[in-house]
Amino acid sequence: MLRGAALRVTRPRVAVLSAVHEHPHADTDSIIRAVRQNLPEVSHQAVYDSLHTLTAAGLVRRIQPAGSVARYESRIGDNHHHVVCRSCGVVADVDCAVGEVPCLTASDNRGFSIDEAEVIYWGLCPDCSTARSS
């Protein structure tokens, strides 16, 4: 994947890319912990730099729901959306509800050529819903 994106293959980049694939919607601290399990000497800066490079190359997607830290995922290019629990903050993927990409049609595109829509659904996850009703 790295070579396909014209990036140098480095141990930190491979480790970060693997961590993002293994831990969807992980924040930076979680990715650092995951990377350090296989590459204990990696610095925070190397992980931050790798995340930035991988995001810029389109190999990783960065999302940041309101009031949350940035999170990273490897599911890219399909214009999916997210559902976020208001209580515990868990994030899950949601496919487009209706229609063709970009899933939503703006009532007035203001002259823009829209190619992506970002939607975040908010609510309570099943665990928090159950806890709240008991």
Side-chain angles (χ1 to χ4, degrees):
M1 292 175 74
L2 293 168
R3 284 188 186 101
L7 295 175
R8 276 186 348 175
V9 177
T10 65
R11 290 180 68 205
R13 286 179 184 169
V14 170
V16 169
L17 191 56
S18 294
V20 172
H21 276 271
E22 293 167 10
H23 306 282
H25 308 120
D27 62 17
T28 307
D29 288 339
S30 299
I31 292 169
I32 290 170
R33 282 193 302 276
V35 168
R36 285 191 170 161
Q37 288 180 349
N38 299 318
L39 198 60
E41 70 279 3
V42 74
S43 69
H44 279 76
Q45 192 61 50
V47 173
Y48 283 111
D49 291 347
S50 294
L51 285 168
H52 176 75
T53 299
L54 295 171
T55 301
L59 297 178
V60 165
R61 182 176 177 199
R62 180 184 187 273
I63 62 167
Q64 189 167 8
S68 176
V69 297
R71 297 171 180 269
Y72 297 87
E73 64 181 350
S74 58
R75 185 175 169 186
I76 55 170
D78 66 349
N79 196 220
H80 70 279
H81 308 302
H82 298 93
V83 60
V84 179
C85 180
R86 290 186 187 278
S87 182
C88 70
V90 71
V91 178
D93 290 334
V94 177
D95 291 327
C96 291
V98 186
E100 302 294 320
V101 170
C103 304
L104 299 176
T105 302
S107 60
D108 180 358
N109 66 13
R110 306 274 183 184
F112 282 69
S113 176
I114 298 172
D115 61 12
E116 182 177 0
E118 185 173 313
V119 176
I120 298 178
Y121 301 97
W122 295 88
L124 294 176
C125 70
D127 290 342
C128 291
S129 291
T130 301
R132 190 170 272 187
S133 65
S134 9

